[in-house]
Amino acid sequence: MRAIALALALGTMLVMAAHAHAQQKVQRVGLLMQTTPAAASHITAAFAEALRERGHVEGKNVTFEYRWAEGKSERLPGLAADLVRLKMDLIVASGVTAAQAARGASTTIPVVMVNAADPVESGLVRSLAQPGGNVTGLSAQLTPEIRAKQIQLLKEALPGLARVALLRRAAVADGPVWKEYEAGGRMLAVRVQFFDVQGVDDLERGFNAISRERVGALLVPGDPVFFTHRQRIVELAVAHRLPGIFSLREYTDAGGLMSYSARLTDMFRRAAIYVDKILRGASPAKLPVEHPSQFELVVNLKTAKALKLSIPPAFLIRADQVIQ
């Protein structure tokens, strides 16, 4: 009788476990992205892999809903509202504009921002240590110090550099960030000269203007539109024989001369840690905002040779990676 009772109890436990597994909630994670699926496929893959490592498997206990702005920031509020209507358990927002759109669509659904500039100043969080609302995550990698460092690295790679052309979109030309580039250049006796383009179709005109000015080098800042069309920008830079430093290593992988930045893939892997904690019950209000701390210098030596540049050996030794 005791054996029968034990067997019955074991059977009941197995049934209950199976029922609990069947009833396990599938968490819904929305990803609000400023670029395109093709431009960010490696980023979203890194994010999904990091979540899998923490037990959140797509199609099993988590599903992803992607919304892509395709470089058109005006679409973000509508895309964020769509994710809210679909009752996401959490939204991952790439960049400050996407995070603002997600926060504007809901003050209750947790938002994990990635690479968001000035989250305190933009009103996304109360403070970095105590966000205090439904938004947390990772702040932007580009700071005044990093912007100055990019100009410094250009000057070290190109001794005698006196002027740098900074490519930017006219739509964002009024932002305060540009004064930080100018200040960084002044400290290094390098003049930062701005060249504005209306959009992707205006890039060739912009590069022609830069060539006419005969500046010594190019600097391409962080911009979701530029990132989406990074291959075209790199091709134009090489065609105009412009050595440049870029905001992300993806440009250097695509053929740009060099980059100094944190890895976007690493940032999204770190974002997965926030997502894991929140899905397990942590409050975003109490999760401190993180700032990227690891930056890498990547140099494309193949591009340097194509541009007939002689990069100082000491500079190459300092690089974290040299693409041959």
Side-chain angles (χ1 to χ4, degrees):
M1 292 295 291
R2 185 178 295 176
I4 294 173
L6 182 61
L8 288 172
L10 181 60
T12 301
M13 291 173 62
L14 290 173
V15 170
M16 290 176 64
H19 180 71
H21 179 74
Q23 295 298 314
Q24 183 182 23
K25 180 184 177 182
V26 176
Q27 307 273 24
R28 307 189 74 190
V29 174
L31 288 98
L32 187 59
M33 308 292 289
Q34 296 198 55
T35 180
T36 65
S41 60
H42 62 300
I43 299 169
T44 53
F47 172 75
E49 180 185 16
L51 272 184
R52 279 197 304 272
E53 293 170 356
R54 288 160 179 80
H56 305 282
V57 181
E58 185 178 8
K60 182 179 178 182
N61 57 2
V62 68
T63 60
F64 299 141
E65 284 285 345
Y66 294 94
R67 293 296 182 271
W68 303 92
E70 299 180 339
K72 300 174 182 177
S73 58
E74 66 273 12
R75 296 182 57 193
L76 288 167
L79 296 174
D82 190 33
L83 290 174
V84 171
R85 281 194 296 271
L86 291 173
K87 302 186 185 303
M88 295 294 106
D89 293 292
L90 183 148
I91 296 174
V92 176
S94 179
V96 67
T97 309
Q100 289 172 323
R103 172 69 180 274
S106 173
T107 57
T108 56
I109 296 176
V111 176
V112 174
M113 59 184 174
V114 188
N115 200 24
D118 300 319
V120 176
E121 185 176 331
S122 62
L124 288 170
V125 298
R126 187 173 59 200
S127 71
L128 299 183
Q130 291 286 336
N134 66 319
V135 181
T136 188
L138 293 95
S139 64
Q141 56 150 327
L142 291 176
T143 63
E145 294 75 22
I146 297 302
R147 294 183 179 101
K149 182 71 172 180
Q150 290 175 336
I151 298 171
Q152 177 190 332
L153 290 169
L154 260 181
K155 189 167 185 178
E156 290 179 11
L158 305 169
L161 179 68
R163 283 195 300 158
V164 171
L166 191 147
L167 186 71
R168 67 181 178 185
R169 286 188 301 123
V172 297
D174 292 333
V177 65
W178 311 117
K179 294 186 181 298
E180 296 175 1
Y181 281 108
E182 288 180 318
R186 281 195 298 271
M187 289 190 299
L188 298 160
V190 175
R191 179 189 170 196
V192 177
Q193 190 170 345
F194 299 104
F195 291 83
D196 296 346
V197 295
Q198 297 300 323
V200 178
D201 295 336
D202 197 30
L203 283 171
E204 189 164 354
R205 182 203 61 78
F207 272 90
N208 287 336
I210 293 172
S211 291
R212 286 195 299 271
E213 288 292 323
R214 299 183 182 277
V215 296
L218 172 71
L219 194 159
V220 178
D223 184 292
V225 175
F226 289 166
F227 181 79
T228 302
H229 299 278
R230 58 188 179 271
Q231 187 66 57
R232 177 61 175 155
I233 288 174
V234 165
E235 289 170 355
L236 284 167
V238 173
H240 286 268
R241 307 192 65 77
L242 272 169
I245 189 164
F246 299 88
S247 58
L248 292 163
R249 71 162 292 144
E250 281 84 352
Y251 290 87
T252 314
D253 291 336
L257 178 62
M258 62 181 180
S259 57
Y260 182 72
S261 67
R263 286 197 183 200
L264 268 182
T265 50
D266 287 349
M267 295 179 74
F268 271 82
R269 290 184 67 86
R270 295 293 302 173
I273 297 175
Y274 281 89
V275 173
D276 172 57
K277 290 179 179 179
I278 293 171
L279 292 182
R280 296 183 188 277
S283 169
K286 297 180 180 179
L287 291 177
V289 174
E290 181 179 307
H291 182 76
S293 58
Q294 293 186 336
F295 292 80
E296 61 178 2
L297 171 63
V298 182
V299 180
N300 192 319
L301 199 56
K302 182 178 179 181
T303 300
K305 292 176 180 177
L307 294 173
K308 294 182 168 50
L309 293 175
S310 179
I311 305 294
F315 186 85
L316 292 175
I317 291 174
R318 290 172 50 203
D320 298 280
Q321 183 181 355
V322 176
I323 299 174
Q324 300 288 344

